[in-house]
Amino acid sequence: MEEPKRRGVRLVLFPCPLQGHINPMLQLASILYSMGFSITMIHTHFNSPNSSNYTHFTFIPIPDGLSISDVSQHSVSEVVALLSQLNINCAVPFQDCLLRLLSSGEAETLPCLISDAMMHFTQDIADSLKLPRLVLRTSSVESFLSFAAAVSISRQKSYLPISDSQLEIPVTGVPPLLIKGINTHDQEIVYQLLRNMVDKVKASSGLIWNTFDHLEQSALATLAQEFPIPVFTIGPFHKIFTASSSSLLSQDQSCITWLDTQPPNSVIYVSFGSIVGMDEAEFMEMAWGLANSKCPFLWVVRSGLVRSSERVEPSWPDGFLEMVKGKGCIVKWAPQQDVLAHPAVGGFWTHNGWNSTLESICEGVPMLCSPNFGDQMTNARIVSHGWKVGLQLENKLERGEIERNIRRLMVEKEGKEMRERVASLKEKAEACVKKGGSSYESLEDLIARILSF
Ligand code: UDP
């Protein structure tokens, strides 16, 4: 890449230290670097990004105060507890670090902070230092609106839990997601995190999204009404910069060689991202559902995917590995974007993390949706019921239902129609980042905003 002309302006970025948040923040940093800004990335020790892949950035680690027991992320409550902990533990080190940067006497100006929406504590610190804060929200606009609506419903009562009668209340979306879809057992801590996230987004100087206008038109119109702050829809980020270099786990390239041997559109790629876990019974259903579908598959079974008190690696059902020999390829972590771009891949069985959803759309791959928690619930509904580029598994994982739905997606007419619809979204995604496209123009607006501070 040709070295862009430097602007003498340094941007400070702070990601939330989870894979699905680190990827888009590093992609954003790369985009802004290519626009002539210098980049400083403040980050936690926990899940620290691989700085050797970004020698042109400055990385500053800060203490996060986490212990080994704080960092397990197998359930929604553990993830929420981790994020809540980080919002407390990082405040003082982050403030000290920003203060040092602001008073370092560097020639470059430091106009603003860009931080992940989930790291909401940074708003008060930015305010106290009179530094504008731009927020990066790493999921869909639709899911943010459903969180905001759920938060607002939770506020109508002065206390939690939300009562059973409120579970059927629709939160925004087409078709509506019901509040029970995003409701969880540990309500107070979840709603506290979401409340803070939403409130501090409202108080920010602008909101950056890894999405594009065509994809989320009506949600963006609602957002403009409810959040009267500048909004920059500059995604899909990875269409400008790939995420591979920000992977925290090493990606097994051997699966690409295996895909090379498979016919076009024949393989279902299966991955539930970096956090979702399942019990052994669910894993068993998944395995037999895949085997019985008779479709070739590439399955990411990362360490810790199967929750078991005894071991980190799963134990395979008897006879399974023999049955799928040659038909299935299993890896611990894949180069996902390359996999989705491979002509052999015809479907993606996903948990609908936003990065996975967007990556699938950008490669024109229809989805089988198995959302687990949080934004995945909304993302799956817009994929299946809104854009109609996927099927949602509505019930508990069960081998018969899995087999049926894999075949609907991979070999039946329905799947073909979804493939056609998602191909059209792929075209839109490619057009929007080109000169004159909506994301291209929004990026220009973002640069103007940064330079106006
Ligand atoms: N990913 C990957 N290899 C894999 C599975 C996932 O590189 O085997 C990447 C994927 O491309 C995406 C990210 O990890 O960018 C997962 O983010 P997502 O928001 O989909 O899910 P999360 O991990 O946050 O639940």
Side-chain angles (χ1 to χ4, degrees):
M1 192 179 69
E2 200 186 315
E3 177 66 14
K5 195 164 166 291
R6 311 317 305 164
R7 293 174 187 265
V9 179
R10 181 163 291 275
L11 301 176
V12 178
L13 283 71
F14 184 55
C16 165
L18 297 175
Q19 180 75 78
H21 294 247
I22 290 172
N23 285 359
M25 187 61 94
L26 277 162
Q27 290 159 7
L28 176 64
S30 298
I31 293 167
L32 292 169
Y33 181 82
S34 75
M35 295 291 151
F37 295 100
S38 305
I39 301 293
T40 291
M41 182 85 56
I42 303 178
H43 62 89
T44 56
H45 285 288
F46 167 63
N47 274 352
S48 55
N50 187 350
S51 55
S52 62
N53 289 336
Y54 299 88
T55 48
H56 46 309
F57 296 171
T58 304
F59 286 87
I60 310 182
I62 56 166
D64 48 43
L66 296 176
S67 64
I68 297 283
S69 61
D70 291 327
V71 300
S72 69
Q73 316 143 38
H74 301 301
S75 66
V76 61
S77 21
E78 284 168 343
V79 174
V80 170
L82 173 74
L83 295 177
S84 306
Q85 200 67 45
L86 285 168
N87 271 287
I88 297 166
N89 296 1
C90 292
V92 172
F94 183 80
Q95 177 158 21
D96 291 349
C97 182
L98 259 191
L99 263 173
R100 269 199 310 279
L101 287 170
L102 286 167
S103 53
S104 67
E106 289 281 330
E108 289 180 310
T109 56
L110 206 156
C112 65
L113 165 71
I114 302 180
S115 66
D116 190 289
M118 282 300 176
M119 298 291 95
H120 56 73
F121 75 94
T122 54
Q123 184 64 46
D124 290 350
I125 292 175
D127 286 346
S128 72
L129 298 173
K130 304 217 165 4
L131 192 65
R133 170 186 179 236
L134 294 172
V135 175
L136 170 63
R137 178 64 192 141
T138 58
S139 192
S140 58
V141 177
E142 192 78 63
S143 71
F144 178 78
L145 291 175
S146 62
F147 283 159
V151 162
S152 146
I153 291 165
S154 80
R155 274 191 170 121
Q156 287 160 21
K157 291 188 90 172
S158 54
Y159 61 89
L160 288 164
I162 284 178
S163 64
D164 283 352
S165 63
Q166 289 178 304
L167 295 180
E168 299 298 322
I169 296 176
V171 286
T172 52
V174 185
L177 178 74
L178 303 179
I179 195 156
K180 67 181 177 191
I182 45 179
N183 210 27
T184 67
H185 298 301
D186 304 290
Q187 289 188 12
E188 180 47 40
I189 180 170
V190 173
Y191 279 96
Q192 197 177 16
L193 181 70
L194 293 180
R195 232 173 1 241
N196 284 331
M197 194 258 290
V198 169
D199 287 349
K200 300 304 176 187
V201 160
K202 253 187 187 141
S204 76
S205 302
L207 193 44
I208 304 169
W209 291 96
N210 187 14
T211 190
F212 57 103
D213 289 0
H214 176 85
L215 199 61
E216 295 206 81
Q217 245 153 14
S218 75
L220 281 163
T222 311
L223 183 78
Q225 276 168 7
E226 293 179 12
F227 290 78
I229 52 172
V231 165
F232 306 97
T233 42
I234 63 172
F237 295 173
H238 75 282
K239 278 281 126 189
I240 312 172
F241 274 97
T242 65
S244 310
S245 47
S246 56
S247 186
L248 296 169
L249 297 172
S250 127
Q251 298 175 319
D252 186 340
Q253 301 291 335
S254 68
C255 57
I256 300 290
T257 319
W258 181 80
L259 285 174
D260 289 342
T261 64
Q262 303 298 317
N265 284 339
S266 65
V267 175
I268 179 151
Y269 168 60
V270 188
S271 169
F272 286 1
S274 61
I275 296 173
V276 166
M278 61 183 61
D279 59 31
E280 287 182 326
E282 290 171 309
F283 181 66
M284 208 66 88
E285 293 305 306
M286 248 185 120
W288 287 123
L290 275 169
N292 296 342
S293 77
K294 307 274 189 301
C295 291
F297 63 86
L298 166 57
W299 188 5
V300 176
V301 181
R302 51 159 230 280
S303 297
L305 174 72
V306 184
R307 283 184 228 109
S308 156
S309 48
E310 287 123 52
R311 39 180 189 270
V312 183
E313 306 306 332
S315 65
W316 295 97
D318 281 346
F320 171 78
L321 292 176
E322 296 72 36
M323 180 170 167
V324 301
K325 207 160 187 229
K327 198 85 183 159
C329 175
I330 297 163
V331 293
K332 286 193 169 172
W333 197 243
Q336 179 161 303
Q337 290 172 18
D338 298 335
V339 166
L340 289 167
H342 197 287
V345 172
F348 182 11
W349 184 6
T350 171
H351 69 309
N352 287 115
W354 183 240
N355 296 290
S356 294
T357 304
L358 211 49
E359 288 162 15
S360 204
I361 287 172
C362 287
E363 299 307 336
V365 178
M367 287 161 258
L368 185 59
C369 306
S370 286
N372 220 267
F373 60 81
D375 64 323
Q376 299 158 17
M377 313 305 286
T378 317
N379 299 340
R381 278 186 86 80
I382 34 177
V383 165
S384 56
H385 294 73
W387 307 315
K388 298 188 170 48
V389 296
L391 298 167
Q392 184 164 350
L393 287 175
E394 300 285 353
N395 304 312
K396 242 175 96 199
L397 293 178
E398 189 275 319
R399 63 188 74 183
E401 191 184 349
I402 293 169
E403 178 192 341
R404 249 188 329 279
N405 282 290
I406 291 180
R407 295 198 64 80
R408 278 173 74 195
L409 185 77
M410 299 301 293
V411 292
E412 289 175 17
K413 189 158 160 262
E414 263 177 292
K416 191 164 167 278
E417 287 165 0
M418 285 178 213
R419 203 160 290 119
E420 283 161 12
R421 280 193 286 273
V422 74
S424 140
L425 290 181
K426 174 186 177 183
E427 272 175 31
K428 297 282 191 310
E430 279 163 0
C432 74
V433 293
K434 294 202 177 118
K435 197 164 192 286
S438 61
S439 298
Y440 185 96
E441 301 215 320
S442 195
L443 179 58
E444 300 213 315
D445 292 345
L446 172 63
I447 294 167
R449 175 90 179 138
I450 291 172
L451 297 175
S452 76
F453 289 136

